[in-house]
Amino acid sequence: GAVVSQHPSWVICKSGTSVKIECRSLDFQATTMFWYRQFPKQSLMLMATSNEGSKATYEQGVEKDKFLINHASLTLSTLTVTSAHPEDSSFYICSARDPRTGGSMQYFGPGTRLTVL
Amino acid sequence: AQTVTQSQPEMSVQEAETVTLSCTYDTSESDYYLFWYKQPPSRQMILVIRQEAYKQQNATENRFSVNFQKAAKSFSLKISDSQLGDAAMYFCAYRRQIPIQGAQKLVFGQGTRLTINP
C-alpha cells in the first residue's frame, strides 16, 4: 500500500501561537488530500479538502482563516493552526487520494496530536 | 446528504470466536464505495476491506468479510477467528463514486470499539 507521513507526530504550543502540520505522500502524487480532526473516542470529522494548485474546500463550520491549508505540490499539503487556543487541542489526521487507483483509495497519515497550553 | 450509522458503540468477543459489526447508510446514489477502517491504539487508520456497490459479491480479506445488502443499505463486517490484535475502533465509511471535486470525501460512522477477551 501507499505511504502517507505526517510531521510532527505531536506538538505542544502556547496559546496565541501558530502551528504548522505537514502531510506528505511518499510514493505517489496526490492531487487531493484531506484534513480531519478527531476528538477522543469520537469519529473523524472532515475539516477540508485540499487540492493541488487551488484553494482548499472547507466543510461547513470550519474557520478557513484559522485553519490555513496549502497544497503547494503534488506530494505536500500543510495545515496551519493560527492563533491556537486550548480548544484547538485535538488529533489531526490527513489522508491522500491515490490517483493510481482511479481515486477510489485514500491512505491515511499517522496523525498529529496538538496540545495548546 | 449521505449518512453512515454504526449502532454498536462497543462490542466484545472471545478470542478465536466470530463477531459481526453493523453499519447502515443512507444515500440516493447507485454507485459508491463502502469501507471498513480499523484504528488501533496507535490511532493509525488502516483499511480493512472495501466494497464497490456495483459488485454483488461480498468482499473478503482473509478473516474479514462483509455482508453487503444494497437494497437494505446495510454493510456489516464479520471477523472470524478473532485475535488480540483485532482490538481497535472500527469505522464504516461511504464514498461516492463520482470523480468530481467535493464528491471524493469519506463519510464516517461513529465507530465501534471492539474488545477481544483472551
Side-chain angles (χ1 to χ4, degrees), chain A residues 9-30:
Chain A
S9 56
W10 59 270
V11 57
I12 302 173
C13 70
K14 292 183 178 179
S15 186
T17 62
S18 294
V19 174
K20 180 184 285 188
I21 302 170
E22 294 185 347
C23 177
R24 293 181 185 273
S25 56
L26 297 186
D27 51 359
F28 66 99
Q29 293 182 330

Side-chain angles (χ1 to χ4, degrees), chain A residues 32 34 36 38-44 46 51 55 57 59 91 93 97 103-106 108-110 113, chain B residues 33 35 37 39 42-47 50 52 89 91 95 99 101-102 104-106 108-111 113:
Chain A
T32 304
F34 304 87
Y36 298 86
Q38 186 180 32
F39 291 105
K41 297 185 179 181
Q42 293 190 22
S43 187
L44 282 71
L46 180 66
N51 295 290
K55 291 184 178 180
T57 303
E59 295 297 301
F91 193 68
I93 305 173
R97 176 175 169 267
S104 65
M105 294 298 293
Q106 291 181 22
F108 286 82
R113 182 179 302 280
Chain B
Y33 297 98
F35 305 84
Y37 283 92
Q39 189 180 41
S42 68
R43 303 192 78 170
Q44 170 74 59
M45 294 288 285
I46 300 167
L47 177 66
R50 178 181 79 161
E52 291 96 332
M89 280 288 287
F91 293 100
R95 210 210 82 180
Q101 187 173 344
Q104 304 152 356
K105 59 185 179 183
L106 288 168
F108 285 94
Q110 306 91 322
R113 180 172 301 280

Side-chain angles (χ1 to χ4, degrees), chain B residues 5-101:
Chain B
T5 302
Q6 292 178 250
S7 58
Q8 307 154 314
E10 296 183 353
M11 291 282 285
S12 63
V13 64
Q14 285 298 125
E15 191 177 4
E17 296 294 309
T18 295
V19 64
T20 299
L21 308 184
S22 301
C23 173
T24 58
Y25 58 96
D26 186 25
T27 183
S28 59
E29 305 282 336
S30 59
D31 293 324
Y32 48 87
Y33 297 98
L34 294 167
F35 305 84
W36 277 98
Y37 283 92
K38 168 184 176 181
Q39 189 180 41
S42 68
R43 303 192 78 170
Q44 170 74 59
M45 294 288 285
I46 300 167
L47 177 66
V48 175
I49 203 163
R50 178 181 79 161
Q51 175 82 44
E52 291 96 332
Y54 70 88
K55 290 186 177 179
Q56 292 186 339
Q57 187 173 8
N58 290 323
T60 63
E61 286 289 339
N62 300 315
R63 298 182 294 108
F64 299 87
S65 62
V66 297
N67 183 3
F68 173 47
Q69 301 291 327
K70 190 172 184 179
K73 298 180 182 176
S74 171
F75 183 61
S76 60
L77 174 70
K78 185 172 80 171
I79 306 175
S80 304
D81 186 25
S82 298
Q83 300 176 1
L84 294 177
D86 295 334
M89 280 288 287
Y90 285 81
F91 293 100
C92 178
Y94 166 100
R95 210 210 82 180
R96 297 171 72 185
Q97 193 177 31
I98 302 174
I100 59 174
Q101 187 173 344

Side-chain angles (χ1 to χ4, degrees), chain A residues 60-92:
Chain A
Q60 192 172 8
V62 178
E63 299 177 63
K64 58 182 66 177
D65 293 332
K66 182 167 189 60
F67 298 100
L68 300 179
I69 291 172
N70 184 12
H71 195 156
S73 78
L74 288 172
T75 59
L76 173 65
S77 176
T78 60
L79 168 67
T80 301
V81 183
T82 63
S83 186
H85 290 284
E87 57 265 30
D88 298 325
S89 298
S90 191
F91 193 68
Y92 292 88

